[in-house]
Amino acid sequence: MIRKYLRAKRHKALAPLVYGLTRLIGATLRIKTVGLEAVEGIDKGKIFAGWHGRSLLPALFLRGRGVWALISHSRDGDVQNGIFQRLGFQTIRGSTGRGGMKALAESIRVLKRNETMAFTPDGPRGPTGIVQPGIVLMVKKSGAALVPVGSSCRRKWHAPTWDSYMVPVPFSRCVIVFGSPIFVSPDASDEELEQARKMLEEHIRAAQATADDFYKK
């Protein structure tokens, strides 16, 4: 019982520390965007969707804009929730891919109000680079637009985690690539939802490849 309490305290203490480090690194970065203008004019709810391992740059770019983020109920999710709230995100706790019907319903309500969400469709535990089906169901029910996102930096470090999490090196040049929006019909069949899931997967990979190649020119 004492160990459980101490672990919980340790996790809570991590959030402000990681947030401080994140803001410190973020203040030194030069972030360029590609394709943002095409999606800013979407007059309905939208979801920025990118890989879990590349979520830091979009989080820094979108901070303070009232964007919503879906965060799991795990211990790591507790830390992430504290960080995202400090960055100015609104958060929903749960996981659409693992039975989180309450989180799914709340996300749909947010999107129907024409608000914006940031989503890592291969999270919270992977497998990396594979879109879980919850996100396309969310879009079908809400009518929102899916926007594939990729990000990279000229200089970066990858953590030895399941998603090879990318951490920019301070003072690096970075890029965030926004792909063309994807829409799902409210009458979409299960087969069409699977096609949309695969399409999103392909488009995130394409946006990520464009971002990774940006500084190889």
Side-chain angles (χ1 to χ4, degrees):
M1 196 72 176
I2 294 175
R3 286 183 180 179
K4 185 177 180 180
Y5 173 80
L6 291 174
R7 282 198 299 267
K9 285 291 186 181
R10 186 167 65 247
H11 271 74
K12 285 184 179 180
L14 273 176
L17 291 174
V18 176
Y19 165 75
L21 181 60
T22 299
R23 286 301 308 269
L24 186 62
I25 294 174
T28 71
L29 302 178
R30 286 171 286 178
I31 301 177
K32 176 183 177 66
T33 62
V34 175
L36 179 62
E37 298 80 7
V39 299
E40 280 186 322
I42 296 174
D43 59 352
K44 58 167 58 182
K46 53 182 174 282
I47 304 174
F48 292 121
W51 300 140
H52 193 278
R54 298 299 182 102
S55 59
L56 181 56
L57 273 183
L60 286 169
F61 180 73
L62 295 170
R63 71 182 186 272
R65 303 189 187 199
V67 174
W68 290 81
L70 184 63
I71 297 175
S72 73
H73 275 298
S74 66
R75 285 178 182 164
D76 288 343
D78 290 341
V79 176
Q80 190 178 20
N81 189 59
I83 296 167
F84 270 67
Q85 287 185 340
R86 285 173 171 84
L87 286 171
F89 285 78
Q90 302 178 82
T91 60
I92 298 171
R93 302 301 302 272
S95 173
T96 61
R98 291 176 172 83
M101 295 307 296
K102 183 179 178 182
L104 177 61
E106 190 173 350
S107 298
I108 291 169
R109 284 195 294 270
V110 164
L111 293 167
K112 282 185 173 181
R113 297 198 301 262
N114 295 336
E115 299 195 56
T116 300
M117 291 192 71
F119 200 99
T120 54
D122 61 341
R125 296 184 182 88
T128 184
I130 302 297
V131 170
Q132 301 299 317
I135 190 171
V136 291
L137 179 60
M138 186 189 299
V139 169
K140 173 184 175 177
K141 298 289 187 180
S142 67
L146 270 173
V147 181
V149 178
S151 63
S152 191
C153 294
R154 181 182 291 276
R155 293 180 298 142
K156 53 191 177 291
W157 173 76
H158 290 277
T161 55
W162 67 269
D163 57 354
S164 190
Y165 198 84
M166 186 192 78
V167 179
V169 172
F171 301 99
S172 183
R173 293 183 179 181
C174 304
V175 64
I176 302 174
V177 176
F178 297 88
S180 299
I182 298 169
F183 299 93
V184 178
S185 168
D187 301 318
S189 64
D190 289 346
E191 182 179 351
E192 289 169 329
L193 285 177
E194 175 60 13
Q195 290 173 352
R197 188 196 68 78
K198 289 180 178 178
M199 182 184 296
L200 177 61
E201 205 168 270
E202 292 170 2
H203 284 210
I204 295 176
R205 288 174 181 168
Q208 187 55 60
T210 300
D212 286 334
D213 290 341
F214 195 82
Y215 291 113
K216 293 180 182 178
K217 300 173 184 178

